[in-house]
Amino acid sequence: RYSSVERALLVTIASQVGGSIENARLYEETKKKAMQIETLSKVSKTIASNHYLDEMLNLIVSMMAEAMSSPVCSIMLLDEKKEELVIKATQALSHAYSSKPNIKVHKSLLGRVVIDRKPLVIRDVTLEKGYTYPELAKQEGLRSLVSVPLMIKNSVIGVFNLYTSQERQFSNEEIQLISTVANQAAVAIENTKL
């Protein structure tokens, strides 16, 4: 059917197309890593600045929301006496989200992050059994969630939450980025107490 010259031409074209696709993938991966490093740098600069704590935490959640294309990102601090998580900072424009009631640690999935001291990933909060506000999540168009503990030494002082508007799986690299930012936020909170 095809001559040897035509087959050789097709092989050459296929090889070049394959190389172009790989280069495009590597470019996107490099661009994503550069954005993550830039976000970490911005968070570090914010923490090192003389901003007030509330302003600093709101800047951090805003930067992470932008970097991760998140419609809602929040920092919730632990009220140890009431055993509740209280929203301290969010970039969510929705009054419904920012004014939702505190979350009981021992009766919630976010409380597991505090108790277990490790990240929690939920693929679809609207379907997750035990998620405290599935109707609010539907109303706000929230799907996936990653929540990581805010740690100072061996103590959890709160959680850092990041939602997406579409169902997705978070990579280990993304969870590590969010955990690093959460740890920086925890240090900033602790430093204001000194």
Side-chain angles (χ1 to χ4, degrees):
R1 289 184 168 164
Y2 296 104
S3 70
S4 60
V5 171
E6 289 171 323
R7 283 194 298 261
L9 178 61
L10 285 175
V11 167
T12 302
I13 291 171
S15 176
Q16 289 178 350
V17 168
S20 295
I21 290 170
E22 178 64 10
N23 285 342
R25 185 191 67 76
L26 289 172
Y27 172 76
E28 285 303 315
E29 192 175 295
T30 302
K31 194 168 120 181
K32 184 177 176 182
K33 286 186 187 301
M35 179 274 307
Q36 290 175 343
I37 291 168
E38 181 182 346
T39 300
L40 281 175
S41 175
K42 285 180 182 177
V43 168
S44 294
K45 286 177 184 173
T46 299
I47 289 171
S49 71
N50 289 325
H51 291 296
Y52 292 108
L53 181 63
D54 290 346
E55 182 183 346
M56 187 182 322
L57 296 179
N58 281 312
L59 279 169
I60 291 169
V61 294
S62 294
M63 283 187 269
M64 281 303 291
E66 182 180 341
M68 300 289 290
S69 301
S70 169
V72 174
C73 186
S74 66
I75 292 175
M76 302 180 83
L77 296 183
L78 178 63
D79 179 330
E80 290 185 48
K81 289 180 183 168
K82 294 181 181 177
E83 295 185 335
E84 295 177 334
L85 289 166
V86 181
I87 293 178
K88 180 68 174 171
T90 183
Q91 91 327 330
L93 299 177
S94 162
H95 180 70
Y97 181 86
S98 59
S99 63
K100 72 180 182 178
N102 298 341
I103 295 177
K104 297 286 185 191
V105 170
H106 294 286
K107 296 181 180 178
S108 68
L109 293 174
L110 294 180
R112 278 193 7 221
V113 177
V114 173
I115 294 165
D116 296 344
R117 298 177 180 190
K118 63 182 184 180
L120 171 71
V121 176
I122 300 174
R123 192 155 177 104
D124 188 342
V125 294
T126 65
L127 301 176
E128 185 73 22
K129 186 179 177 188
Y131 182 74
T132 311
Y133 298 107
E135 292 307 313
L136 178 60
K138 284 179 188 170
Q139 177 186 324
E140 298 295 315
L142 306 177
R143 281 291 179 262
S144 294
L145 163 70
V146 61
S147 181
V148 300
L150 293 168
M151 302 280 298
I152 294 293
K153 297 181 182 167
N154 290 327
S155 299
V156 178
I157 64 167
V159 295
F160 191 103
N161 305 310
L162 188 129
Y163 291 87
T164 62
S165 56
Q166 299 188 340
E167 196 174 311
R168 66 173 282 197
Q169 187 66 37
F170 292 93
S171 70
N172 288 337
E173 188 176 82
E174 290 170 322
I175 295 169
Q176 186 59 48
L177 171 68
I178 296 164
S179 295
T180 300
V181 170
N183 288 336
Q184 289 180 333
V187 169
I189 292 165
E190 190 66 17
N191 286 343
T192 61
K193 293 179 182 177
L194 300 177

